[in-house]
Amino acid sequence: MAFIFAGCSLLGLQAQTEGVLLDTVEVRLPWPQNLQARLDTLTQDPLFERSQLGLLVYDLTADSVLYHHGEKQTLRPASTMKLLTAITALDRLGASYQFRTSLRYSGTVEDSVLVGDLFCVGGMDPMFDTIDMNAFVESVLGLGVKTIRGRLVAVTSFKEETLLGEGWCWDDDNPQLTPLLISRKDEFMSRFVEMLRAAGIEVDAPCTTGDLPKESLTICTRSHTLRQILLPMMKDSDNLYAESVFFQAASTISSRSATAAHGRQAVKEVLGKAGVKDIQYRIADGSGLSLYNYVTPELMVKLLIYAYRHRGIYMELFPTLPVAGQDGTLKKRMVKSVANGRVRAKTGTVTGVTTLAGYCTSSNGHILTFSIMNQGVLKIADGRNFQDQVCEIMSDPNRYGSD
């Protein structure tokens, strides 16, 4: 009897030889040939006659490449760029690193009057909200201040003045990249004045920008950790959070104002540690909004391997990744698939591009890491459907269809 394997790992075959009907025969390919055969069939889809595909699957348990297809192509990562940002920040800063916003003052308090200046020092904390601002107001009251005569100074020297990223589309819902935000909005100083007055403090002081004098004193600091910020950044693919993390990593390169160029250098250095050599890529921002970002599946997988092998990074990164069929940007995908709960991965979408990269626990217990990059896909659903099928095959190469 001749068996014909058409890229499948499990075949029910019926054959008739000399008029004798043979029973159905179940044929299994061993690991990893079963996975490879099914992916070979999947990559023959007509979708790839009109679009680009980059795919790499790596077995972390066996320390070997399982499957590759166009893995050296430079493609747009979309929001999987956030993986580079997150891993860079965890490597350089650690999960306990704090994003700080401080209130400082100079001058003296005489008869409940602050004769001097209040300085709002921005550290680009995207989680700073009304509760944090109320703490600022309470700290002013705690000084016994009822009137402010001087200036309210916004200190925004943490980062460069540019408020938008390189290569961002003008008609996107772009975040404002300022070091002083409240509830995601560039309204910090006006809201501060409003809340001071609502607390009964007379504000006889103009709002301005300036530098922080050395003799100023801290009266309140509010902060959030990188660990806190990574969760919504990755689960919900929050662009503001990603850019904030990008500039925190940038601040490790220079003691001056952090710039996007510093952020790119920080990412480049971590990629070097991950063994990325002789691979062409271009980093523009930290969120993946930019159309100037270009990476390869090979680069992405090398970085994911690096994270896996450095447990301090992996143990912080892994819980932040969306879980297939359960939460984050994967909540509605692979719900009825064998991949449900087995895949944790970052999604990415911009016009014509859909990507997915992360980790998968296969049914045989092997831990896999992968990167799938679809570009030139006019119907994003087509690319996502392909990615979901890849995840299903990685999760259990011997299982077909949904539950």
Side-chain angles (χ1 to χ4, degrees), residues 164-185:
L164 296 174
E166 180 186 1
W168 288 7
C169 292
W170 66 269
D171 56 350
D172 273 351
D173 183 18
N174 297 315
Q176 293 263 293
L177 305 183
T178 174
L180 281 171
L181 290 168
I182 177 168
S183 301
R184 308 179 64 90
K185 296 180 180 179

Side-chain angles (χ1 to χ4, degrees), residues 213-323:
K214 293 181 179 180
E215 66 274 12
S216 62
L217 300 174
T218 301
I219 56 174
C220 186
T221 297
R222 303 292 289 182
S223 65
H224 296 92
T225 65
L226 176 59
R227 183 180 291 112
Q228 290 175 288
I229 288 169
L230 283 182
L231 194 65
M233 167 183 156
M234 302 299 279
K235 291 285 189 186
D236 303 329
S237 199
D238 192 295
N239 294 320
L240 172 61
Y241 283 44
E243 293 300 331
S244 297
V245 172
F246 183 66
F247 278 97
Q248 302 296 328
S251 70
T252 66
I253 297 295
S254 173
S255 59
R256 301 177 181 177
S257 295
T259 68
H262 293 144
R264 295 174 197 129
Q265 182 62 32
V267 174
K268 180 179 179 180
E269 290 181 7
V270 173
L271 287 173
K273 292 167 68 174
V276 173
K277 300 176 180 178
D278 302 322
I279 297 177
Q280 291 191 344
Y281 63 89
R282 191 176 192 277
I283 306 301
D285 66 10
S287 62
L289 278 172
S290 177
L291 298 181
Y292 299 163
N293 290 312
Y294 280 93
V295 302
T296 71
E298 182 183 24
L299 176 150
M300 192 70 73
V301 166
K302 279 182 176 291
L303 189 63
L304 288 166
I305 292 171
Y306 176 79
Y308 180 79
R309 290 175 176 169
H310 290 77
R311 306 307 287 178
I313 297 176
Y314 183 72
M315 297 304 291
E316 297 291 345
L317 177 70
F318 189 72
T320 73
L321 298 175
V323 183

Side-chain angles (χ1 to χ4, degrees), residues 48 51-55 69-77 279-281 294-300 371 373-375:
F48 305 118
S51 65
Q52 292 174 272
L53 168 66
L55 168 61
H69 179 105
E71 75 282 3
K72 294 184 180 294
Q73 292 190 80
T74 49
L75 303 169
R76 292 173 178 163
I279 297 177
Q280 291 191 344
Y281 63 89
Y294 280 93
V295 302
T296 71
E298 182 183 24
L299 176 150
M300 192 70 73
S371 174
M373 303 180 71
N374 296 97
Q375 185 166 293

Side-chain angles (χ1 to χ4, degrees), residues 94-129:
S96 298
Y97 173 85
Q98 294 186 332
F99 294 55
R100 298 176 183 271
T101 308
S102 299
L103 181 63
R104 299 170 69 95
Y105 81 100
S106 64
T108 59
V109 178
E110 302 172 1
D111 298 325
S112 300
V113 177
L114 173 60
V115 182
D117 301 328
L118 283 176
F119 299 89
C120 299
V121 186
M124 207 168 182
D125 180 358
M127 297 185 78
F128 191 97
D129 60 14

